[in-house]
Structures are given as C-alpha cells and as structure tokens.
Amino acid sequence: FESIDLNALLSEVADLYRAQAGQIELSLDADLPLIRADAGRMRQVFHNLLRNAVEASENGKPRLELATQISGHAESPVVEITVADDGPGFAEEIMHRIFEPYVSSKRKGTGLGLAIVRKIVEEHGGQIRAANRKPAGAQISILLPVRGGSALLHVHTEQRRERA
C-alpha cells in the first residue's frame, strides 16, 4: 500500500472511457485526502465499474457520474466514491446477491466483476453498496477509510451477519 490520490486515479480511468461513454461527469472533492491503498488494485476497481456501466447501457452511450467526497466522523473520516449510470439498473431479483461470484443480469460476461470489486474494497478495509436510481440507472458507492485500519470492514461484516 502507498499513499494515493483517488481523484487523480479516478480521472485517469475516466479518460480511458470517454470515447465509449456518451458523457462522463466528474464531481471530485478538491479537499479529498490521500489514502493508503494499492493503486493497481484500485485502478482495477474503477475499470470494472466503468466497464460494467458501459456494457449495461441500452443505447451504447451511457451518461456516467463519478464523484468523491469526504464523509464520516472527524475521528474516523472516510472517502466515499460513487459511480452511477443512466442504464437499466440492476435486476431486482439479484440485488441481494449482486456482489456474489457468477451473479449477473447481462447476457455475456462471467459475473465476476462486482465480486472482484467487493473483494478489493474489503481488502482495503472498506465497504461497498449497490442501488438502483430513479427513474433509471445503477449506482455503486464505496467507502474507504482515510487512515489505514479495518473499522469499516468490521461494520460491513456485522451487517452481513445480521442479514443472514
């Protein structure tokens, strides 16, 4: 792990998808602190999320929104990264299993992309959530701790146990 600038990394990956997306809107918090992370693994997270959004698009030119912000409490701040699109959203029947391996509503693909994303986020002590947007679209939100540690992972594990 090293100190990385998530805004710069997200901008770099977004630039790679500009030709494939109809529009990419960046709303990046200029005061975002550096976080301790594996830059290569985080790049893989953003590639998977943007590729999913482009592939899910019904018209082939999705509108993507990428945002970062600092949230949480002063003693345990987190960076929140949001990736949203204007596609069809997630099928309701798989929402509760969306991060499990081999789960997908797409005709092609392995269903491993979001499972890999979740694993990487959890390796970084973070949490991930998926939701459908109104009137259309999908949104993935990632919370990563600003200062090392695994407090968020503990909360995520407890929430998963409560659902089981």
Side-chain angles (χ1 to χ4, degrees), residues 13-29:
V13 175
D15 284 343
L16 297 173
Y17 285 86
R18 287 205 188 277
Q20 297 173 19
Q23 176 183 358
I24 297 180
E25 179 183 320
L26 295 176
S27 178
L28 307 177
D29 184 341

Side-chain angles (χ1 to χ4, degrees), residues 58-80:
E58 294 174 332
N59 65 8
K61 289 288 187 180
R63 180 176 175 272
L64 306 178
E65 298 172 25
L66 310 174
T68 59
Q69 67 179 7
I70 189 81
S71 59
H73 304 294
E75 56 278 351
S76 59
V78 294
V79 170
E80 182 173 2

Side-chain angles (χ1 to χ4, degrees), residues 71-94:
S71 59
H73 304 294
E75 56 278 351
S76 59
V78 294
V79 170
E80 182 173 2
I81 304 114
T82 304
V83 178
D85 65 54
D86 63 349
F90 299 109
E92 285 300 324
E93 63 270 10
I94 65 168

Side-chain angles (χ1 to χ4, degrees), residues 69-131:
Q69 67 179 7
I70 189 81
S71 59
H73 304 294
E75 56 278 351
S76 59
V78 294
V79 170
E80 182 173 2
I81 304 114
T82 304
V83 178
D85 65 54
D86 63 349
F90 299 109
E92 285 300 324
E93 63 270 10
I94 65 168
M95 276 300 289
H96 66 286
R97 301 177 330 138
I98 200 75
F99 295 110
E100 293 177 12
Y102 310 112
V103 173
S104 178
S105 59
K106 293 189 293 187
R107 280 183 262 160
K108 59 182 182 173
T110 62
L112 292 175
L114 288 178
I116 291 168
V117 165
R118 182 188 72 187
K119 182 176 183 338
I120 293 170
V121 168
E122 288 179 350
E123 287 172 350
H124 284 78
Q127 291 181 25
I128 186 167
R129 296 184 304 258

